Amino acid sequence: MKKDTFKRLKQLTKSCANLQDFLQAYMKTKEITDSPFVLENQFKVLEKEYKRLKKFLPVLEEITSWFERTKKELTLTKQTYIAKLGAILAETLPEIKISGQLPQLKVGILTLEFFPTKDTVKIWYGPQYELIESVNLLKTDLAAEIKAIYQRLEEGGKRDEALLAVLFRAYQLALKEIDMPLGTAVEIAKLFPYVLWGVQKDTFWQLPKRTHFYEYTRSQLSFDLFRTQIRIYQNYEMRLVIATREQTKNKLHFLWVPSSWQGEGYCFAAIAFKKIRTTLP
């Protein structure tokens, strides 16, 4: 782009404004007089500005050429960036294993689904079972957002005995609702509402309002189960029941739980607490 282009664009803008004013003046004059001499006088002023404006056509052609060239460059740069995005994320997040090919990348236990034409990415928990959020690549640092999601998972929820205590209480309440004995497997869909209430803090029960409500997601429950290694609580063993193929057709009927940080995992449909039998010596 030439050095004086911006100066000439400024002149073009002024000339366009002048032409608009002169044209409006001519049309207004035409409404109040039919004198050809008066109209001709104003027309000459209008024509002079129009001819001046035509001199800026080369500037417009230069700008048009620049737009077309820059658009192609940006499209190519964008395609190259997206193609290398896996490597960029791997460099930015060295502690998380990244695999797959665009438009989908696995970033540990998360899945990224890219929509390049819309400049958006859907971030899924697991293999596209639980949508965490959609982010705009124009406004969001993707690597920073992924780190933030992992941080929220790590810092939120419950683990180990605290988690088992909540699950066992929710399990008892669900059994009471369906009128079944201890040891019966309870569907995830039936259990989860009781879990949700079980993780609420005292502030919510003291003053139940939206700002005090703790949002406990299915993703958080899955992550809490993943990081909890113990399975025994008050002489009961927690067991996760594998989902059937039919149950996996509706995500409300199962919960995906990772088995490793590489994104492997299983779909579970129910939870049961089984009494541990003690054998006499």
Side-chain angles (χ1 to χ4, degrees):
M1 194 176 291
K2 297 177 182 179
K3 290 183 179 180
D4 67 339
T5 299
F6 294 104
K7 180 180 178 182
R8 300 195 70 190
L9 280 174
K10 189 174 181 179
Q11 293 171 341
L12 172 62
T13 303
K14 184 178 180 180
S15 181
C16 285
N18 289 341
L19 184 65
Q20 180 181 343
D21 291 342
F22 295 151
L23 183 58
Q24 287 176 338
Y26 177 83
M27 299 305 292
K28 191 173 183 179
T29 302
K30 192 176 180 181
E31 290 176 0
I32 60 178
T33 182
D34 56 359
S35 171
F37 302 103
V38 175
L39 291 174
E40 183 183 38
N41 184 56
Q42 287 207 348
F43 181 80
K44 287 180 179 179
V45 175
L46 182 61
E47 185 179 34
K48 182 179 178 181
E49 192 62 43
Y50 171 69
K51 289 179 179 179
R52 182 170 179 268
L53 186 61
K54 287 178 66 176
K55 294 179 182 179
F56 293 103
L57 286 177
V59 180
L60 292 177
E61 291 173 357
E62 181 187 349
I63 293 296
T64 300
S65 176
W66 179 87
F67 268 108
E68 292 175 351
R69 185 174 65 254
T70 303
K71 185 177 182 179
K72 290 179 181 178
E73 290 174 355
L74 287 174
T75 300
L76 181 61
T77 303
K78 183 178 176 181
Q79 291 173 346
T80 304
Y81 176 83
I82 291 175
K84 293 181 178 179
L85 193 54
I88 293 171
L89 286 173
E91 184 178 345
T92 311
L93 304 166
E95 69 279 9
I96 301 174
K97 182 181 177 181
I98 298 173
S99 61
Q101 292 182 337
L102 291 167
Q104 286 189 17
L105 290 178
K106 288 178 67 177
V107 185
I109 59 175
L110 303 178
T111 300
L112 308 183
E113 184 181 11
F114 290 84
F115 298 88
T117 57
K118 297 180 180 179
D119 299 315
T120 59
V121 179
K122 285 186 177 181
I123 304 178
W124 297 85
Y125 178 83
Q128 293 180 275
Y129 285 135
E130 306 287 339
L131 179 63
I132 296 178
E133 62 183 353
S134 293
V135 298
N136 188 322
L137 287 172
L138 302 179
K139 303 177 182 179
T140 307
D141 182 333
L142 189 56
E145 187 61 25
I146 292 170
K147 281 186 175 181
I149 290 171
Y150 273 114
Q151 185 175 355
R152 290 197 296 269
L153 288 171
E154 289 282 2
E155 295 178 355
K158 294 183 179 293
R159 63 191 305 169
D160 300 326
E161 190 167 334
L163 174 65
L164 292 185
V166 170
L167 288 175
F168 189 67
R169 178 57 179 160
Y171 176 71
Q172 290 176 310
L173 292 171
L175 284 178
K176 186 178 293 185
E177 179 186 341
I178 61 178
D179 194 23
M180 295 297 288
L182 277 168
T184 304
V186 175
E187 295 178 352
I188 296 290
K190 180 71 68 175
L191 186 74
F192 186 70
Y194 292 107
V195 175
L196 184 60
W197 292 118
V199 296
Q200 298 307 314
K201 299 176 182 179
D202 291 342
T203 51
F204 175 77
W205 296 112
Q206 291 166 0
L207 186 58
K209 61 179 184 178
R210 197 173 197 176
T211 53
H212 291 166
F213 183 78
Y214 174 61
E215 186 177 346
Y216 189 74
T217 63
R218 286 165 49 91
S219 301
Q220 187 67 59
L221 173 59
S222 168
F223 186 75
D224 290 348
L225 286 168
F226 166 54
R227 63 181 174 177
T228 294
Q229 300 303 311
I230 63 173
R231 289 290 185 267
I232 308 298
Y233 180 75
Q234 292 186 356
N235 212 31
Y236 281 87
E237 180 185 7
M238 181 187 70
R239 297 181 184 179
L240 299 174
V241 182
I242 294 288
T244 64
R245 181 174 295 183
E246 188 64 28
Q247 287 171 321
T248 59
K249 292 180 180 179
N250 187 332
K251 80 169 190 175
L252 293 178
H253 294 162
F254 73 94
L255 182 70
W256 180 83
V257 178
S259 57
S260 73
W261 283 101
Q262 283 68 53
E264 292 88 3
Y266 300 96
C267 295
F268 298 101
I271 293 178
F273 279 86
K274 299 284 188 178
K275 184 77 172 178
I276 298 175
R277 293 181 180 180
T278 55
T279 56
L280 296 175

